[in-house]
Amino acid sequence: YDYDAPLSEWGSCYPKYHAFREVIKNNLPAGTVLPNIPDENPTINIPEFKLEQTALLSDIFKKRTSHESPLCMEDLGQDFGYIHYQTTLKIQKL
């Protein structure tokens, strides 16, 4: 995640956004104005909760494949979701 982004994940404006906007405003053609900044998106506070159930990832995989190097989603015929990559490292003794 980019912690130095001009906008938050929920669309709030960070100081960097206002700095970018100021530079853009100062370089607009004469007579051109920027639109108003939209109101902040509403957010909610989620109370603390406990996660008490678990599941092994290996139990929920629908498809498995093996390959010498990682494959991208398109190579696996998958256009959304997640891919779990797994490998075994060989340790060399010095």
Side-chain angles (χ1 to χ4, degrees), residues 54-66:
T54 62
L56 295 174
L57 286 176
S58 57
D59 291 344
I60 60 174
F61 291 149
K62 292 186 167 68
K63 181 168 69 171
R64 291 176 181 249
T65 186
S66 180

Side-chain angles (χ1 to χ4, degrees), residues 12-58:
S12 294
C13 301
Y14 288 151
K16 185 180 270 189
Y17 173 85
H18 295 287
F20 284 155
R21 187 176 166 90
E22 192 64 27
V23 170
I24 292 168
K25 183 177 83 171
N26 292 335
N27 290 283
L28 288 173
T32 305
V33 295
L34 292 174
N36 292 332
I37 299 172
D39 292 336
E40 292 278 322
N41 288 321
T43 59
I44 62 170
N45 288 325
I46 299 174
E48 187 174 326
F49 59 93
K50 266 188 171 181
L51 298 175
E52 297 178 355
Q53 295 180 337
T54 62
L56 295 174
L57 286 176
S58 57

Side-chain angles (χ1 to χ4, degrees), residues 2 4 12 20 36 47-48 54 71-72 74 76 85 92 94:
D2 184 359
D4 195 32
S12 294
F20 284 155
N36 292 332
E48 187 174 326
T54 62
L71 299 173
C72 66
E74 290 80 5
L76 294 168
Y85 296 96
Q92 295 180 346
L94 300 176

